[in-house]
Amino acid sequence: MIKVLARSIREYKKASILTPLLVTVEVILECAIPFVIANLVNEMQAGCTMDVIVRYGVALIAMSVISLIFGAAAGSTCATASTGFARNLRKDMFYKIQDYSFENIDKFSVSSLVTRLTTDITNVQMAFMMIIRIAIRCPLMLIFSFTMGFVMGGRLAMIFLFTVPILAIGLCLVIRKTMPLFRRVFRKYDALNDSVQENVQAMRVVKSFVREDYEKKKFGAAAENVQKDFTRAERILALNSPLMQFCVYAGMVFVMSYGSYAVITSRGLDLNVGQMSAMLTYSFQILMSLMMVSMVFVMITMSAESAERIVEVLSETSTLRSPENALTEVKDGSIDFDGVNFKYSKKAERMALSDIDLHIKSGEIIGILGGTGSSKSSLVQLIPRLYDVTEGSVKVGGVDVRKYDLEALRNQVAVVLQKNVLFSGTIKDNLRWGNPNATDEQMEEACRLAQADEFIQQFPNKYDTWIEQGGSNVSGGQKQRLCIARALLKKPKILILDDSTSAVDTRTDALIRKGFREFIPDTTKIIIAQRVASVQDADRIILMEGGRIAAMGTHDELMKTNAVYQDIYNSQNRAGGDKDAE
């Protein structure tokens, strides 16, 4: 885990190494100051001149200033190293997620990935900051203070050998109790964020069904659940404070009482006033260092689970990767499914697709119909290799898709998914997702083909109109047409419309299909639809049922030979579905 996280330090190695070195000098000077003060007290007790006092005073001021400078420098380098490490870690995680396949993303929920990119990284950043500064400072302070304490106080310093084990045992018990609680809390954090995300995305549905109170109660229950576990963990961690206070004050009382007794009874022979003052300072330094160690342990305890969750993301390997010597050129838009069986995970009990044998010529228009759950979308997702087949093969341009470079393949397969997504930015910004170098003329042509230019021209800012996040300020039909235009700008060899004209009227749908046939005749077009009218003029229509191809043929052929297709057509025709298209 540490090796994986350490890779994100990179250019901040210098600051990460420099911080402990600066802290070391700071600690040495802090531990030397009580020794110098003790000698000054002894000199004063012996009746020294003012020159000696001034000399000691100048030395103490110089040591204090140098210690302050090194401490400030350590704070600066520590801040640079920790924030830089967190930035790199966040970037590495985000880049890693971008390389994930759909199968990898299915493994982690979206809310969990958001929590790992935010809360978990903040926890690890705080722990890293403490490790390179406080976790170095405290052990060094303990070592030097222990050493100087025994040098100055002799047997009096034995008190420290009793307090340290008490604190160590207490810390171990606290960590043992809190680790499982924090592990559980972070899983509940994921569930809490999942609830928020789901509620915000479905806000229109929530309001239309007047379910705000229900959602509030659901969120309140999830928040209370997190609070209970966090409260329990914090209560256990809070035991650190009284334990530390007890050890600090017990040590101070012992040093002051026994030290005073030793000074008085021995008249300064066994322990003088200077040594007594130094021992008080060293005992305070030792016990304060132990308190800081406990804080470091608490932070590390909290961040350990966060670190594991981050490493899970960084260590996850994409299930889809480009092969060595991958092909970068797709010859044409022909598609061949040969004996394809597919399931979404190895643990799945049933196949999503079974016994698929399908051969599509380049430039053909293929319509796909089927009920909900018939695996229409699963079928087309295998073409751009969003998933890999479980058995058999899918070929594009006569070559197995697993032999292509992923980027090269997907650049030639444009998919307009069922759930259309627009990003915050202008219409032009969104269209250029299809082609970053598209000219204004090319964008307008694509929009005319997708029947989007007409409504864009009605906006005051036309193609510079701002689109809100998720396309919330345009209608469903407008969003679909913009997404189709964006796909067309890729000039793909294969265009897949996954029920992406469901929100437009049948007349507009017909115009879009007419444009496809006239302007991109060489592009293979696969249209998944619920309406027969959307695929009626296709070269072939595939009827899916239960993950299998139930029937295939032209509209006229299926009307003569397939009762299911006839039922679909007749029911929609009675509803007036085709009349609108005419």
Side-chain angles (χ1 to χ4, degrees):
M1 182 175 72
I2 293 173
K3 285 183 179 179
V4 174
L5 293 174
R7 293 184 196 130
S8 297
I9 297 175
R10 291 197 291 277
E11 68 268 31
Y12 299 99
K13 281 183 180 178
K14 181 179 178 182
S16 300
I17 295 170
L18 191 58
T19 299
L21 296 177
L22 293 170
V23 166
T24 301
V25 177
E26 178 192 14
V27 169
I28 290 172
L29 289 169
E30 282 190 22
C31 290
I33 287 173
F35 179 77
V36 175
I37 291 174
N39 289 332
L40 173 60
V41 170
N42 291 334
E43 291 282 356
M44 291 172 66
Q45 193 176 17
C48 67
T49 62
M50 194 66 188
D51 292 341
V52 175
I53 295 174
V54 171
R55 190 167 65 249
Y56 271 100
V58 170
L60 286 170
I61 291 171
M63 292 171 70
S64 298
V65 170
I66 295 171
S67 176
L68 180 64
I69 291 171
F70 274 86
S76 176
T77 55
C78 179
T80 301
S82 60
T83 54
F85 167 65
R87 187 198 71 172
N88 286 347
L89 195 57
R90 195 171 283 112
K91 184 171 74 173
D92 292 345
M93 285 182 70
F94 187 79
Y95 284 13
K96 187 73 174 182
I97 292 167
Q98 297 306 302
D99 290 334
Y100 278 1
S101 66
F102 279 15
E103 185 177 340
N104 295 118
I105 293 173
D106 291 342
K107 180 178 177 180
F108 301 98
S109 69
V110 174
S111 58
S112 177
L113 290 173
V114 170
T115 304
R116 294 169 200 238
L117 278 163
T118 51
T119 304
D120 287 334
I121 286 182
T122 301
N123 289 340
V124 170
Q125 176 187 343
M126 293 297 294
F128 181 71
M129 181 179 67
M130 287 189 167
I131 286 169
I132 63 173
R133 189 180 185 191
I134 299 175
I136 298 295
R137 174 188 171 83
C138 295
L140 286 175
M141 182 69 77
L142 282 171
I143 292 169
F144 287 126
S145 295
F146 260 122
T147 303
M148 295 303 295
F150 276 99
V151 168
M152 299 298 292
R155 289 178 298 173
L156 187 62
M158 295 294 288
I159 181 63
F160 304 134
L161 297 179
F162 292 97
T163 56
V164 172
I166 294 172
L167 294 173
I169 292 170
L171 286 173
C172 289
L173 291 174
V174 165
I175 291 170
R176 186 177 177 183
K177 290 287 187 182
T178 54
M179 280 293 284
L181 287 173
F182 282 119
R183 188 172 292 114
R184 196 163 65 204
V185 162
F186 284 114
R187 284 199 295 268
K188 290 180 178 180
Y189 253 132
D190 290 344
L192 185 68
N193 287 340
D194 197 32
S195 176
V196 173
Q197 180 191 5
E198 183 180 58
N199 179 270
V200 172
Q201 286 180 341
M203 185 57 72
R204 287 179 174 83
V205 178
V206 172
K207 289 188 176 299
S208 64
F209 282 90
V210 197
R211 297 286 282 177
E212 291 92 340
D213 289 341
Y214 170 78
E215 288 294 317
K216 288 176 183 176
K217 289 178 182 177
K218 189 171 76 170
F219 177 82
E224 188 177 354
N225 211 359
V226 171
Q227 181 227 346
K228 284 180 179 177
D229 277 351
F230 244 129
T231 302
R232 189 177 172 192
E234 292 290 348
R235 281 175 179 168
I236 297 172
L237 289 175
L239 295 175
N240 265 333
S241 182
L243 181 63
M244 290 297 162
Q245 294 292 333
F246 170 77
C247 292
V248 167
Y249 291 121
M252 295 287 285
V253 168
F254 178 82
V255 169
M256 291 182 70
S257 57
Y258 182 78
S260 301
Y261 174 78
V263 170
I264 293 170
T265 55
S266 67
R267 296 185 179 181
L269 296 177
D270 292 338
L271 188 72
N272 58 43
V273 176
Q275 289 174 308
M276 173 70 177
S277 67
M279 278 301 299
L280 284 172
T281 305
Y282 286 130
S283 65
F284 184 77
Q285 286 180 343
I286 288 169
L287 296 169
M288 286 299 104
S289 297
L290 289 171
M291 287 190 71
M292 294 303 292
V293 166
S294 75
M295 289 177 60
V296 173
F297 269 101
V298 168
M299 192 65 235
I300 291 176
T301 301
M302 289 179 63
S303 64
E305 179 61 21
S306 291
E308 287 184 11
R309 285 157 54 85
I310 290 170
V311 169
E312 274 183 355
V313 174
L314 293 174
S315 301
E316 182 76 8
T317 303
S318 176
T319 56
L320 299 180
R321 309 187 77 169
S322 299
E324 292 184 12
N325 304 316
L327 299 176
T328 56
E329 187 175 345
V330 180
K331 184 177 70 173
D332 56 42
S334 62
I335 305 166
D336 297 287
F337 288 80
D338 293 315
V340 168
N341 293 312
F342 168 70
K343 56 183 178 180
Y344 282 98
S345 70
K346 295 177 181 178
K347 297 178 181 178
E349 295 181 0
R350 61 178 292 273
M351 293 287 181
L353 293 167
S354 301
D355 304 323
I356 303 296
D357 283 289
L358 174 63
H359 304 282
I360 302 170
K361 295 177 183 178
S362 184
E364 269 194 296
I365 300 177
I366 301 296
I368 301 179
L369 290 175
T372 304
S374 59
S375 297
K376 303 184 297 296
S377 297
S378 301
L379 181 73
V380 297
Q381 285 177 358
L382 299 178
I383 298 171
R385 205 184 168 204
L386 298 179
Y387 292 94
D388 267 341
V389 298
T390 305
E391 296 172 5
S393 67
V394 177
K395 296 177 182 177
V396 171
V399 177
D400 193 315
V401 293
R402 290 169 289 195
K403 293 183 180 180
Y404 284 114
D405 176 77
L406 275 172
E407 186 174 338
L409 172 65
R410 290 173 182 171
N411 273 331
Q412 295 301 325
V413 182
V415 184
V416 184
L417 295 171
Q418 188 174 3
K419 294 181 179 179
N420 297 284
V421 177
L422 294 175
F423 298 88
S424 54
T426 64
I427 289 177
K428 285 183 179 179
D429 293 336
N430 275 276
L431 292 173
R432 286 197 173 108
W433 273 68
N435 179 3
N437 302 314
T439 63
D440 290 350
E441 291 76 17
Q442 288 172 327
M443 285 188 282
E444 288 176 15
E445 183 184 6
C447 287
R448 280 194 294 270
L449 190 60
Q451 303 301 309
D453 182 69
E454 183 180 353
F455 73 79
I456 292 174
Q457 295 296 342
Q458 294 174 4
F459 292 143
N461 296 322
K462 296 182 172 55
Y463 282 82
D464 291 315
T465 298
W466 186 264
I467 300 294
E468 300 294 341
Q469 185 178 14
S472 59
N473 60 330
V474 291
S475 70
Q478 291 171 338
K479 188 188 300 183
Q480 286 187 335
R481 282 175 277 176
L482 286 172
C483 289
I484 292 171
R486 181 174 64 188
L488 290 173
L489 279 171
K490 290 182 72 173
K491 295 183 178 178
K493 288 186 169 65
I494 299 171
L495 175 64
I496 299 171
L497 304 179
D498 187 357
D499 203 17
S500 51
T501 57
S502 58
V504 301
D505 60 86
T506 51
R507 179 181 174 277
T508 303
D509 188 9
L511 289 172
I512 292 172
R513 297 197 313 275
K514 182 175 180 290
F516 289 168
R517 192 177 287 277
E518 292 177 358
F519 290 96
I520 49 172
D522 297 328
T523 297
T524 303
K525 296 164 279 290
I526 300 176
I527 303 171
I528 297 176
Q530 299 294 332
R531 297 183 299 214
V532 172
S534 297
V535 297
Q536 189 171 334
D537 58 353
D539 296 319
R540 279 184 292 166
I541 299 170
I542 296 169
L543 190 63
M544 297 287 295
E545 188 176 343
R548 298 174 184 270
I549 296 177
M552 181 166 53
T554 64
H555 170 71
D556 293 335
E557 289 171 349
L558 291 175
M559 283 297 292
K560 293 176 183 177
T561 61
N562 191 272
V564 175
Y565 186 82
Q566 292 169 10
D567 289 342
I568 296 172
Y569 175 80
N570 290 331
S571 63
Q572 291 182 2
N573 198 37
R574 283 195 299 271
D578 289 350
K579 290 178 182 178
D580 292 337
E582 294 168 1

